[in-house]
Amino acid sequence: MTPDATDKCLLNAIADGLPLTPRPYETVADGLGIGEDEVLDRLERLRDSGIITRFGVVVRHRELGWRANAMAVWDVPDGLVDTVGEKIRSFPFVTLCYQRPRRLPDWPYNLFCMVHGRDRATVRQQILEINDACDLRALPQDVLFSLRQFKQCGAHYAPARPDKTKHREVA
Amino acid sequence: MDDMDRRIINELQDGFPVTERPYAEAAKQLQMDEDELIERIGKLCKDGTLNRFGPMFNAENLGGAVTLAAIRAPENRFDEITDMVNAHPEVSQNYAREDDLNMWFVIATETPGRLSKVIAEIEYETGLEVFDMPKIEEFYVGLRFAV
């Protein structure tokens, strides 16, 4: 589906969060000048078509103790990357896994995998497990831990509003 | 944060009803009152445990574009460059990472054309090359955190 202007207004109205009222969709509907039924219908459609991927609690994982955030990267031969990617997705500690383009000569890696854990030692061990299980030990690779997080917010699509979380540094 | 808060976080990461009284419905599953659920979510947002309570979007399915970008920010200009990058509303996440490429951020735009403009703007403002690495293949997205 192609979202129309009303869909986009709706998404922007809830981008920062649902109203904390017993009938939040009615509150949103009132703000947009449409009916609650229409908001519910539109949200269903947006969810079914994969535009809204998830609805609910978005945590600040660092505050919850998930402080070790590693981006593990490998230079996997292009012909093998699908097989390896499919294997990596089965690890419970892997939160994201993508193939991305190399940027030679500065960046030789094409497989990106995020591992979030409570401490670095555990995360390093988990990345070793991936290496062993997927036979990646011999491949060029690197692990980039995050040092600070500067920004985490939902994407905004229409006129930018001031971002409350901007420049929030988390050790 | 008590056990009830933990259950809210664990249960409501995967979904929330789209119905007239969604909090009442979710509260029933969590075996608590609607009022209490609303109050607890509000408190978890306020104290910074939650980033927000609402939807996550797929920018591409919305007709937009998203990419992961990196720059090599000199140490003595790092804070200044952070400010320049984060000033763009299209930048939704930004992390300092241990590498020669030491700043990694996500850019999500309403249209594919806008993406290259944001990258060009950041390059112009910072005087640094932006390495643009949009996904070629997505193998897994399952950002969930059990507490």
Side-chain angles (χ1 to χ4, degrees), chain A residues 72 74 81 84-89 94-100 111-114, chain B residues 135 137-142:
Chain A
W74 289 266
V81 71
V84 175
E86 289 301 323
K87 238 180 187 174
I88 284 185
R89 58 176 290 166
V94 167
T95 47
L96 300 165
C97 184
Y98 292 104
Q99 180 190 1
R100 298 183 181 278
L111 185 67
F112 291 60
C113 170
M114 299 296 310
Chain B
K135 77 173 176 198
E137 190 73 51
E138 179 179 297
F139 298 111
Y140 186 68
V141 180

Side-chain angles (χ1 to χ4, degrees), chain A residues 34 41-42 77 102 107 121 127 153 162:
Chain A
I34 58 179
D41 285 348
R42 284 178 182 273
R102 299 177 186 87
W107 184 258
I127 293 168
C153 63

Side-chain angles (χ1 to χ4, degrees), chain B residues 50-71:
Chain B
L50 300 186
N51 181 281
R52 62 185 186 279
F53 184 77
M56 286 190 116
F57 303 141
N58 179 318
E60 286 147 334
N61 289 352
L62 192 47
V66 57
T67 197
L68 176 68
I71 53 181

Side-chain angles (χ1 to χ4, degrees), chain B residues 2 16 21 52 57 119:
Chain B
D2 61 17
F16 187 67
R21 298 283 293 269
R52 62 185 186 279
F57 303 141
I119 290 172

Side-chain angles (χ1 to χ4, degrees), chain A residues 18-19 25 50-51 53-54 56-58 60 95 97 99-101 103 106 144 147-148 150-153 157, chain B residues 12-13 17 23 48-49 51-54 56 58 61 72 86 91 94 96 110 132-134 136-137 139-140 142:
Chain A
L18 269 190
Y25 305 115
I51 288 172
T53 53
R54 182 143 75 87
V57 161
V58 182
R60 283 192 204 284
T95 47
C97 184
Q99 180 190 1
R100 298 183 181 278
R103 291 293 178 229
D106 301 86
L144 284 71
L147 299 169
R148 285 180 287 171
F150 301 110
K151 197 171 182 182
Q152 182 192 1
C153 63
Y157 296 97
Chain B
L12 297 186
Q13 276 184 69
Y23 294 104
T49 306
N51 181 281
R52 62 185 186 279
F53 184 77
M56 286 190 116
N58 179 318
N61 289 352
R72 194 180 276 128
N86 290 357
V91 172
N94 187 358
E110 195 175 354
D132 176 21
M133 291 172 263
I136 296 172
E137 190 73 51
F139 298 111
Y140 186 68

